[in-house]
Each structure stands twice: as structure tokens, then as C-alpha cells.
Amino acid sequence: MKGIFVTGTDTNIGKTFISCTITRVLKEYGIDVGVMKPFATSHRRFSSTFSSEDVWRLARAANVADPDDLMNPFFYQIGTAPFLAATMSGRPTPNLSFAVKKLRRLSKQHEFLVVEGIGGIMVPISRRETLLDFIKMVGFPAIIVTSPKLGTINHTLLTFHACLSRKIRVYAIIINKKPETTSKVQDRLGSLLSTLTGVKRVIEIPRIRNGHNLKSVEKLIARDLLDLEQ
Ligand SMILES: Nc1ncnc2c1ncn2[C@@H]1O[C@H](COP(=O)(O)OP(=O)(O)O)[C@@H](O)[C@H]1O
Ligand SMILES: [Mg+2]
């Protein structure tokens, strides 16, 4: 079973954007990529085919026709952590083993899986389990998507050490939405995070406007994240 787990320090940090970019790049290199977002919540269903907009985006990037309930076994129609969403809607909380089973099935159909988490690493999935427990069960290395904003050093290190505490390998840290002009502090962020964590791949991705420079982001991801020559 081969794949990567994309988590982040927060919601809206760029997990879907990065997951989709990784997926497109791998596909360009001829790899058959499957996608998954095991747990999703939103105040509304996205469409009749896809409950979650993220899953639609991921499936579009991968150009797959896998069923929605395989890519996203758990969806709740309240936009919050799955545990709370399940409790509030009077439904059972997600069963992690069931989600792993779906992931295994999906991984048999593709060479490589890109799996997007939900929110940050300590998001409660059930009374006693967080996303971290699920990543551990899956066994894929993690990518931490983070931001260049003030406070990010703390958030990134919290996330990194949570992974470390469960022996989850952190494959890379991605500082996403880097502004065009950066402060002297922001300029040092990448090397600081690399020094403090020992993670070799700390990659800065610019904030792009209206999809411009998407190709250059793909090149960065191919070369610096996936070690594919370009
Ligand atoms: N590098 C980037 N440049 C510009 N916009 C971005 C970038 N990364 C993410 N976004 C935008 O930020 C928003 C949140 O990103 P998303 O990937 O959905 O975050 P998450 O999955 O962590 O909630 C989306 O509108 C997305 O298009
Ligand atoms: Mg997302």
C-alpha cells in the first residue's frame, strides 16, 4: 500500500489545494493515483454525486470515477469536527477500522493514494480517537501544510511533535500561500522549521492569484516535494 497523508495545522490552510497539485503532478508522471478524504463535514452537500466539495476537487484532479462512499466513507452535514457533527446529528461517530478498510480497497485499485485529512491533527473523530490515530492506522507518511503567518512556528511544531509522538514519519512540511513580499522573519521560517524538526523537505509555495502560476507550483511540487526531475 503506497500513499501520502496530507494534514495541516488548520482548516483552510491549503490541504485540498496541495493534495490536488500532488495528484496532478503524479499523474503527469504516469502514476495511477487514487484519492481519499475519509472524513468530511459541511453545512451542505456539494452535489448529488459528491457530498463533499473537497472530494469532488480531489476526484477531478485524479480523474477517477471511484464511488463517493469509497473515497469519502464518512460525511456529516454540520461543518465541524466529525465527533461533534456526529453527536449533534444523532448519528454514530466514524468507525476508523471501516475507513481503513475502504482505504485498503481503494489502494488495490490504484498505484498510489493521496489522502486528505480534516482540519488539523487533533480533530476528534470519535470520543477517544483523533485524526492522528487514523494516520497511524494507515501508516502513510504525513505532509504537514502550514502557513507563513505569525504563530505558525508554534502550530507547526505542535503538529510535528504530535506526529513524532506516534512515530508517524513527516515526509515534508509545506509553507503554503507565501506572500509576494515577505518579511525578514518569514524569509527564515523555512530553514528554521527544517533545523528544529530535522525534516529535510520544507517547501514554500507562493500564494497564487486566480490560478496564475499554477504550472510553476506544479514544478516546485514535482522537483522539491516528489523528487521528480523537471
Ligand atoms: N498557494 C495558494 N495560493 C492561492 N490560493 C490558495 C493556495 N492554497 C490554497 N489556496 C486557497 O485557499 C483556500 C483554502 O484552501 P484549501 O486547500 O481548501 O484548504 P484546506 O483543505 O486546508 O481546508 C481555497 O480557496 C484555496 O483555493
Ligand atoms: Mg480541504
Side-chain angles (χ1 to χ4, degrees):
M1 214 163 75
K2 269 174 78 177
I4 196 95
F5 204 106
V6 179
T7 184
T9 52
D10 203 356
T11 189
N12 228 26
I13 204 88
K15 294 183 299 293
T16 309
F17 175 79
I18 295 295
S19 300
C20 289
T21 310
I22 292 172
T23 300
R24 283 197 310 274
V25 169
L26 288 173
K27 278 185 64 70
E28 257 174 50
Y29 277 81
I31 297 165
D32 174 358
V33 186
V35 288
M36 195 174 184
K37 170 143 180 141
F39 317 103
T41 68
S42 171
H43 65 284
R44 66 178 185 95
R45 283 184 189 278
F46 175 70
S47 70
S48 52
T49 318
F50 297 99
S51 298
S52 154
E53 179 174 350
D54 281 7
V55 179
W56 169 69
R57 287 188 189 284
L58 291 164
R60 197 178 51 166
N63 192 22
V64 290
D66 296 313
D68 191 45
D69 67 345
L70 190 54
M71 294 186 286
N72 171 222
F74 294 100
F75 178 83
Y76 298 92
Q77 214 168 324
I78 302 178
T80 183
F83 173 55
L84 183 56
T87 310
M88 286 174 72
S89 47
R91 289 173 50 201
T93 56
N95 179 313
L96 269 62
S97 305
F98 182 80
V100 171
K101 225 159 69 184
K102 295 270 178 178
L103 188 143
R104 290 224 173 91
R105 190 180 310 162
L106 203 54
S107 78
K108 282 192 188 124
Q109 292 164 23
H110 300 281
E111 269 173 79
F112 192 90
L113 285 191
V114 175
V115 186
E116 182 186 341
I118 177 168
I121 207 121
M122 293 306 289
V123 164
I125 307 296
S126 67
R127 169 77 181 82
R128 294 182 194 286
E129 295 154 314
T130 67
L131 189 74
L132 197 60
D133 294 300
F134 183 72
I135 303 176
K136 182 69 190 172
M137 283 168 85
V138 170
F140 289 167
I143 290 177
I144 299 172
V145 182
T146 188
S147 100
K149 287 190 204 145
L150 193 62
T152 193
I153 298 172
N154 176 50
H155 296 149
T156 311
L157 293 179
L158 280 170
T159 306
F160 173 76
H161 283 286
C163 290
L164 205 66
S165 75
R166 300 299 304 277
K167 296 195 169 64
I168 294 163
R169 183 162 85 89
V170 176
Y171 176 80
I173 295 170
I174 296 185
I175 304 168
N176 188 36
K177 305 192 203 183
K178 196 181 157 200
E180 254 170 53
T181 46
T182 49
S183 68
K184 280 185 180 164
V185 170
Q186 281 173 324
D187 290 341
R188 300 185 70 141
L189 183 61
S191 61
L192 176 86
L193 290 176
S194 186
T195 304
L196 294 179
T197 60
V199 173
K200 198 176 69 185
R201 295 182 195 84
V202 177
I203 296 148
E204 297 177 351
I205 299 293
R207 176 188 284 279
I208 58 170
R209 277 202 213 103
N210 308 322
H212 292 313
N213 300 330
L214 200 54
K215 276 283 158 211
S216 65
V217 170
E218 287 174 359
K219 275 191 180 157
L220 267 176
I221 294 280
R223 193 193 60 196
D224 297 346
L225 183 79
L226 302 169
D227 301 337
L228 300 163
E229 302 243 37
Q230 215 176 51

